[in-house]
């Protein structure tokens, strides 16, 4: 022991006692400190702070043994709560943080990652009932990709949000039946497919691919459900970085030293989760899931199978079609051949392998540079020169960086930003914050590439928060937008309720070799608080405007001839809608634009009185395991009017008034409540502000299409409550008289109503007339 260290006992005036080594007047070395409330710490000290190894015991019976730093629980240690719960793992400043295992007093166990005291990251939670969840967590709740396994062997593998199944997922019942589809807040919501027990079904790899999982995910999709590698789940002991503490006074020095208290720090917290077995008792009985095995399913069976294609809204089955599917190798070969046949060339054929990734990096680098350069410029009105050929920002981005650009991991490229001041003012006009815009597109989470929903051959990217869509353009489309931009700027400025696409930026990337890729940034009109169950691209044409049934998937955008509903809405809402559609069509006509569409998104609401169908009180069997259980017992129930939507007087304090990438304009007025501004109230879900094209309530009446007279498809209800989202898109196709003449001479069956050859005035007239049939005027 050093000469300046001595073992002694010291009593403080506040009743605290320290026995151990000192360095000067400060505890240093080994020692035991007892507080007046009988809490005591025994272990290492460094200049008056608990630093090193030690253990602390509270009067409640709670205790901790492990690493300390700066007077805090910091490093690796074991905490035992007064209720008997035990946490063994890493800590950061008195809070569980890192990798750890907690055994709760009720015998639940969590083993995995922690952040700021709650489960976050990858982890495994076992309930005392035997149910197990393995997957991602956020903020203490199941969130992201995960697998839930019930004690009876049932399994759900899919997406979670805030502790509920939310998004795509797959489950199979203990009798062997599969259902894979989508969920919202724990309830089936959207389209899905059910394979009854004993029927043949695709391999798990194919099922996973339909949910957007890659091959690696498919190989391991259910591997987590059986076990966790003990080496991976073993808690590793991290090293603790020592640090010096502030010197403290001799009398009562723990009063300002950050003394640990299990009362104030909630160290005895017992935040165990609800047992999901109890949670799902209150939900659809069909939520029971079963274990899935890859065994015997590596190849598609050469036999027929019965598939029940179903559609749910908030857990209520609204539609079912029975199909016999051929699952054969020949079918697979035909499918592959057809894909090759319809593959189109596009302006981004140059993007293969990692080049698409490089393109996203280039786009983010360029937008970050442009927004950062233009934002500090003082706001002013746009001038004619801001639309001119010289209104460009150009920059070269070498990989090694330059005086003006940072180094990056992509390829060298040239960047061009078109009309930066115009688009800066448009973003301000659309009430978009520059920093939020830049972070949404250029943040660390990056962009997601989407498959093209149309025939254009364009590539689409989606920002990580779904707010913005980025689309590649043809050179001709770029020219149309630049020529139209001055009138477009005036139009959206004069009509804040316009339904026309919101544009936020126009850019070009030139790659090595001179290849050019052009982009436009737009608002995503389907970035909504409610799930979009179906979407339609409506042009008012009958020429090729249907979707091959075999190609319809969960997110497929349908066409004019696929629409089997007409929508009835409040009189004033209808008048506002068609007044603006007429104004927007007049503008597009003046710019000689054709081939535009109304993109329509539908959110279906389950009638409140039908939600009892989620779990029949007298039915003990699983309705998902037997298709007959889902039948509606009374034909009279089919025509019961829905009552799931309410229009109420607008109250700004109760709804979000924040602008969005598609949301802009005033709150609409409704005839049904006395010409007052209105909010949409969805019982038990939300209260939403009603704007043109956003959160618009309507009643959807089903009408039978001629093509479905002999179909096996069964629509269980005739009337639905729906929430509508809409906007006018694809406004960059200009009328071409030469193209019309060429079409007339080359085609033996010239159709004057074909979309590509219709004159702008006729196109607008036909477009509006078609929409009047879809949205009939109210008396």
């Amino acid at each position: 022991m050093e000469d300046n260290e001595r073992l002694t006992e010291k009593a403080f005036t506040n009743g605290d006692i320290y026995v151990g080594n000192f360095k000067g007047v400060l505890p240093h070395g080994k020692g035991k400190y007892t507080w007046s409330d009988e809490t005591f710490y025994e272990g290492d000290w460094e200049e008056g702070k608990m630093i090193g190894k030690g253990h602390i015991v509270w009067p409640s019976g709670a205790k901790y043994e492990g690493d300390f730093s700066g007077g805090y629980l910091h490093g690796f240690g074991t905490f035992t709560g007064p209720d008997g719960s035990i946490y063994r793992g890493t800590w950061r400043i008195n809070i569980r943080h890192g990798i750890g295992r907690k055994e709760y007093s009720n015998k639940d166990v969590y083993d995995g990652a922690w952040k700021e005291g709650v489960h976050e990251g990858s982890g495994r939670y076992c309930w005392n009932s035997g149910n197990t969840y393995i997957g991602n967590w956020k903020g203490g709740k199941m969130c992201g990709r995960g697998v839930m396994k019930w004690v009876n062997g049932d399994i759900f593998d899919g997406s979670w949000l805030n502790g509920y199944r939310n998004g795509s997922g797959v489950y199979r019942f203990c009798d062997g039946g599969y259902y894979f589809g989508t969920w919202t807040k724990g309830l089936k919501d959207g389209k899905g497919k059910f394979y009854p027990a004993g029927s043949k079904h695709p391999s798990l790899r194919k099922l996973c691919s339909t949910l957007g999982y890659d091959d690696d995910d498919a190989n391991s999709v259910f591997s987590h459900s059986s076990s966790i590698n003990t080496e991976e789940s073993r808690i590793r002991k991290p090293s603790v970085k020592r640090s010096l503490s502030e010197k403290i006074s001799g009398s009562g020095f723990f009063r300002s030293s950050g003394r640990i208290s299990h009362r104030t720090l909630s160290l005895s917290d017992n935040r165990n989760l609800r047992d999901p077995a109890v949670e799902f008792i209150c939900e659809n009985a069909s939520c029971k899931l079963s274990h899935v095995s890859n065994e015997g399913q590596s190849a598609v069976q050469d036999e027929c199978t019965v598939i029940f294609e179903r559609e749910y809204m908030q857990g209520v089955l609204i539609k079912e079609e029975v199909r016999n599917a051929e699952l054969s190798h020949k079918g697979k070969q035909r499918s592959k051949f057809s894909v090759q046949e319809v593959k189109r060339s596009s302006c981004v054929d140059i993007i293969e392998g990692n080049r698409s990734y490089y393109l996203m990096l280039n786009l983010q680098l360029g937008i970050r540079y442009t927004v950062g350069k233009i934002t500090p410029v003082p706001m002013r009105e746009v001038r004619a020169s801001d639309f001119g050929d010289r209104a460009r920002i150009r920059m070269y981005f070498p990989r090694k960086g330059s005086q003006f650009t940072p180094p990056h991991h992509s390829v060298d490229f040239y960047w061009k930003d078109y009309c930066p001041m115009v688009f800066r003012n448009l973003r301000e006009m659309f009430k978009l914050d520059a920093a939020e815009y830049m972070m949404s597109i250029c943040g660390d989470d990056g962009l997601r590439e989407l498959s093209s929903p149309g025939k254009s051959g364009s590539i689409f990217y989606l920002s990580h928060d779904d707010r913005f869509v980025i689309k590649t353009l043809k050179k001709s489309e770029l020219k149309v937008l630049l020529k139209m931009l001055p009138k477009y700027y005036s139009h959206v400025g004069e009509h804040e309720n316009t339904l026309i696409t919101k544009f936020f930026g126009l850019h070009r990337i030139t790659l090595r070799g001179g290849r050019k890729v052009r982009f436009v940034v737009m608002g995503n009109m389907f970035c909504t608080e409610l799930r979009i169950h179906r979407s339609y691209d409506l042009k008012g044409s009958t020429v090729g405007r249907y979707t091959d049934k075999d190609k319809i998937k969960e997110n497929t955008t349908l066409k004019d001839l696929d629409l089997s509903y007409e929508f009835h809405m409040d009189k004033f809402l209808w008048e506002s809608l068609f007044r603006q559609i007429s104004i927007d069509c007049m503008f597009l006509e003046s710019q000689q634009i054709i081939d535009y569409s109304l993109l329509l998104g539908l959110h279906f609401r389950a009638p409140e009185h039908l939600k009892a169908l989620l779990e029949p009180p007298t039915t003990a069997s699983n309705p998902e395991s037997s298709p007959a259980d889902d039948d509606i017992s009374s034909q009279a129930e089919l025509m019961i009017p829905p009552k799931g939507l309410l229009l109420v007087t607008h109250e700004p304090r109760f709804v979000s008034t924040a602008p969005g990438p598609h949301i802009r304009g005033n709150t609409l007025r409704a005839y049904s409540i006395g010409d007052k501004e209105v909010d949409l109230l969805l019982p038990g879900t939300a209260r939403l502000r009603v704007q043109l094209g956003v959160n618009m309530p309507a009643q959807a009446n089903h009408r039978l299409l001629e093509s479905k007279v002999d179909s096996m498809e069964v629509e269980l209800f005739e009337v639905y409550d729906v929430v509508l989202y809409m906007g006018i898109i694809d406004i960059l196709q200009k009328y071409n008289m030469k193209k019309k003449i060429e079409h007339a001479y080359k085609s033996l069956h010239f159709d004057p109503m074909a979309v590509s050859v219709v004159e702008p005035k006729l196109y607008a007239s036909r477009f509006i007339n078609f929409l009047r049939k879809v949205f009939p005027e109210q008396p």
Side-chain angles (χ1 to χ4, degrees):
M1 184 180 298
E2 297 181 7
D3 294 340
N4 59 347
E5 294 184 10
R6 61 189 187 281
L7 182 65
T8 186
E9 175 177 333
K10 184 174 182 179
F12 298 93
T13 57
N14 62 357
D16 295 352
I17 299 175
Y18 173 78
V19 178
N21 297 327
F22 280 84
K23 185 177 182 180
V25 296
L26 302 176
H28 190 85
K30 298 289 184 181
K32 178 179 180 180
Y33 192 100
T34 304
W35 285 267
S36 58
D37 63 359
E38 298 184 354
T39 299
F40 72 87
Y41 165 82
E42 186 171 6
D44 296 333
W45 295 81
E46 187 173 316
E47 296 186 354
K49 293 288 186 181
M50 297 177 288
I51 297 177
K53 301 288 186 181
H55 69 274
I56 186 169
V57 179
W58 289 271
S60 64
K63 58 184 179 181
Y64 169 83
E65 183 173 359
D67 296 330
F68 290 79
S69 180
Y72 298 99
L73 281 60
H74 192 90
F76 185 87
T78 301
F79 177 84
T80 303
D83 58 357
S85 62
I86 300 174
Y87 170 81
R88 176 177 170 80
T90 56
W91 297 76
R92 188 174 73 177
I93 312 180
N94 291 350
I95 297 175
R96 303 175 189 89
H97 190 94
I99 302 298
R101 173 186 175 90
K102 181 170 182 179
E103 300 176 13
Y104 293 88
S105 58
N106 65 350
K107 305 304 181 184
D108 288 359
V109 177
Y110 174 77
D111 197 342
W114 297 73
K115 183 177 181 180
E116 302 297 335
V118 297
H119 314 150
E120 183 145 340
S122 298
R124 170 177 179 168
Y125 195 104
C126 299
W127 284 263
N128 56 21
S129 61
N131 300 328
T132 303
Y133 171 82
I134 305 172
N136 292 323
W137 299 76
K138 187 173 183 179
K141 297 180 179 179
M142 298 173 284
C143 194
R145 174 76 184 285
V147 179
M148 176 73 81
K149 180 177 181 180
W150 277 260
V151 69
N152 65 351
D154 295 354
I155 282 183
F156 171 80
D157 186 306
S159 299
W160 298 75
L161 181 66
N162 294 327
Y164 294 98
R165 290 162 294 166
N166 200 93
S168 299
V170 182
Y171 66 80
R172 177 188 159 195
F173 308 101
C174 53
D175 62 1
Y178 274 97
Y179 180 83
F180 61 101
T182 56
W183 284 257
T184 299
K185 294 185 178 179
L187 298 175
K188 293 190 189 72
D189 201 19
K191 295 180 180 179
K193 292 183 179 179
F194 171 63
Y195 293 83
S199 66
K200 303 299 180 182
H201 51 77
S203 66
L204 290 181
R205 180 183 297 275
K206 186 172 182 179
L207 288 176
C208 293
S209 67
T210 65
L211 301 179
Y213 303 149
D214 56 28
D215 289 343
D216 293 335
D217 290 330
N219 289 330
S220 61
V221 61
F222 296 108
S223 62
H224 298 293
S225 62
S226 56
S227 65
I228 294 183
N229 187 304
T230 55
E231 292 298 325
E232 291 180 353
S233 61
R234 185 175 299 157
I235 300 172
R236 296 180 177 83
K237 181 177 177 180
S239 60
V240 180
K241 183 178 180 181
R242 308 297 185 190
S243 61
L244 296 176
S245 305
E246 297 178 0
K247 292 186 178 182
I248 47 179
S249 61
S251 60
F253 54 85
F254 282 100
R255 295 212 175 273
S256 60
S257 64
R259 172 192 168 189
I260 301 170
S261 166
H262 75 279
R263 294 184 297 273
T264 59
L265 299 174
S266 300
L267 294 176
S268 60
D269 179 29
N270 186 24
R271 298 183 60 180
N272 54 304
L273 304 178
R274 295 178 300 167
D275 189 327
V278 177
E279 172 190 345
F280 286 106
I281 287 175
C282 303
E283 298 182 7
N284 190 346
S286 65
C287 294
K288 295 181 179 178
L289 314 173
S290 65
H291 179 70
V292 180
S293 173
N294 265 317
E295 186 176 355
Q297 299 173 18
S298 59
V300 177
Q301 310 298 328
D302 288 325
E303 298 182 26
C304 290
T305 184
V306 176
I307 301 175
F308 294 86
E309 294 189 348
R310 296 176 173 176
E311 186 168 1
Y312 290 84
M313 55 182 181
Q314 293 88 57
V316 175
L317 179 67
I318 64 169
K319 185 177 180 181
E320 180 176 273
E321 181 176 4
V322 182
R323 300 185 65 190
N324 292 321
E326 290 283 348
L327 300 177
S328 66
H329 295 291
K330 293 181 180 179
K332 289 181 70 178
Q333 291 171 357
R334 285 195 301 269
S335 175
K336 289 181 180 178
F337 180 75
S338 64
V339 169
Q340 291 175 350
E341 280 189 324
V342 301
K343 185 177 180 180
R344 295 175 174 270
S345 61
S346 71
C347 62
V348 288
D349 283 342
I350 59 171
I351 304 166
E352 297 175 358
N354 290 332
R355 288 199 178 184
S356 181
Y357 170 71
Y358 291 148
L359 197 60
M360 286 190 284
L361 286 182
N362 296 349
L363 189 62
Q364 291 177 306
L365 286 166
I367 290 177
R368 186 182 295 117
Y369 174 81
T370 295
V371 175
K373 186 178 181 65
I374 196 67
T375 299
V377 177
M379 278 290 296
R380 61 171 175 79
E381 290 296 323
V382 294
R383 306 166 185 150
S385 59
D386 293 323
F387 297 96
D389 294 339
R390 301 183 64 181
R392 309 285 188 265
I393 292 178
R394 297 175 175 86
M395 183 54 61
Y396 176 56
F397 284 79
R399 186 170 185 174
K400 294 181 179 180
S402 68
Q403 180 181 355
F404 305 102
T405 64
H408 57 84
H409 299 290
S410 183
V411 296
D412 298 350
F413 69 97
Y414 289 90
W415 173 261
K416 179 187 281 189
D417 185 66
Y418 295 90
C419 305
M421 182 58 73
V422 175
F423 285 104
R424 180 258 179 90
N425 282 20
L426 282 173
R427 293 192 291 269
E428 292 281 348
M429 190 185 299
F430 296 142
K431 298 180 173 61
L432 288 181
D433 179 76
E436 291 181 5
Y437 175 74
M438 188 163 57
M439 288 304 300
S440 179
I441 296 175
C442 308
D444 294 336
D445 293 329
L447 303 171
R448 306 198 305 275
E449 183 178 342
L450 305 177
S451 60
S452 173
K455 61 184 179 181
S456 64
S458 297
I459 280 185
F460 289 80
Y461 296 109
L462 192 64
S463 63
H464 72 90
D465 55 6
D466 295 340
R467 299 180 68 198
F468 302 100
V469 176
I470 302 173
K471 175 188 176 183
T472 59
L473 297 179
K474 300 175 183 177
K475 185 176 182 179
S476 60
E477 293 174 320
L478 175 73
K479 290 182 176 180
V480 170
L481 180 52
L482 287 173
K483 186 174 182 180
M484 181 177 62
L485 193 56
K487 296 293 184 183
Y488 172 87
Y489 184 89
S490 299
H491 181 79
V492 297
E494 294 171 6
H495 305 282
E496 65 173 355
N497 287 331
T498 182
L499 295 172
I500 290 178
T501 304
K502 277 72 172 172
F503 295 122
F504 304 121
L506 186 60
H507 318 288
R508 190 187 78 184
I509 290 172
T510 302
L511 302 174
R512 192 181 307 168
R515 299 294 188 98
K516 298 179 175 64
V517 186
R518 304 158 185 89
F519 297 91
V520 64
V521 183
M522 306 176 289
N524 178 17
M525 60 169 286
F526 286 167
C527 179
T528 63
E529 296 183 57
L530 305 176
R531 174 185 288 276
I532 302 297
H533 294 114
R534 296 186 203 174
S535 60
Y536 294 86
D537 182 283
L538 305 176
K539 294 183 182 293
S541 173
T542 58
V543 180
R545 300 299 295 167
Y546 65 91
T547 308
D548 188 339
K549 195 147 189 84
D550 294 333
K551 297 180 181 179
I552 296 178
K553 299 180 180 179
E554 170 65 22
N555 296 320
T556 299
T557 299
L558 304 174
K559 300 178 182 178
D560 304 59
L561 296 179
D562 303 316
L563 184 62
S564 59
Y565 303 97
E566 60 179 31
F567 304 96
H568 300 271
M569 61 177 66
D570 179 272
K571 179 179 179 180
F572 286 178
L573 298 185
W574 184 93
E575 290 176 355
S576 297
L577 175 63
F578 276 90
R579 184 185 308 116
Q580 190 60 51
I581 288 176
S582 297
I583 292 172
D584 289 339
C585 286
M586 287 178 61
F587 164 73
L588 295 174
E589 180 186 336
S590 71
Q591 300 302 302
Q592 294 290 291
I593 301 298
I594 60 171
D595 203 16
Y596 47 87
S597 310
L598 183 79
L599 183 60
L600 175 66
L602 306 180
H603 171 81
F604 288 91
R605 297 300 298 174
E608 294 299 306
H609 64 280
L610 292 178
K611 291 186 178 179
L613 296 176
L614 288 175
E615 184 177 345
T618 59
T619 302
S621 63
N622 189 337
E624 200 68 48
S625 63
S626 175
D629 290 342
D630 278 331
D631 291 341
I632 304 300
S633 59
S634 172
Q635 185 69 20
E637 289 181 290
L638 302 182
M639 297 301 295
I640 297 176
K643 298 179 180 178
L645 301 177
L646 293 173
L647 284 175
V648 296
T649 304
H650 175 57
E651 288 286 350
R653 55 182 178 152
F654 293 137
V655 296
S656 173
T657 57
H662 179 69
I663 299 173
R664 179 172 174 262
N666 52 42
T667 305
L668 297 185
R669 296 176 177 272
Y671 175 81
S672 56
I673 63 168
D675 193 19
K676 296 179 181 178
E677 292 185 341
V678 292
D679 295 334
L680 175 61
L681 185 63
L682 285 69
T685 303
R687 179 170 179 157
L688 306 171
R689 183 185 178 199
V690 179
Q691 295 169 274
L692 203 65
V694 180
N695 302 325
M696 296 186 69
Q699 188 175 86
N701 293 341
H702 180 258
R703 52 188 175 87
L704 184 64
L705 300 178
E706 292 183 9
S707 60
K708 296 187 178 181
V709 171
D710 298 323
S711 173
M712 294 291 290
E713 184 176 309
V714 178
E715 189 89 21
L716 297 183
F717 305 102
E718 297 297 326
V719 182
Y720 303 97
D721 275 336
V722 294
V723 183
L724 306 178
Y725 299 87
M726 65 187 78
I728 297 176
I729 63 170
D730 296 337
I731 64 169
L732 300 180
Q733 179 67 44
K734 200 154 190 175
Y735 173 70
N736 189 328
M737 175 60 77
K738 181 179 179 182
K739 187 173 182 180
K740 176 177 180 177
I741 295 173
E742 289 176 352
H743 181 88
Y745 277 102
K746 291 180 180 179
S747 176
L748 296 177
H749 303 285
F750 172 63
D751 183 355
M753 296 302 289
V755 167
S756 60
V757 295
V758 176
E759 295 180 359
K761 186 173 183 178
L762 178 58
Y763 188 91
S765 175
R766 189 187 64 185
F767 180 72
I768 294 174
N769 288 338
F770 174 77
L771 293 182
R772 286 180 180 273
K773 295 177 182 178
V774 176
F775 305 96
E777 184 175 4
Q778 300 304 297

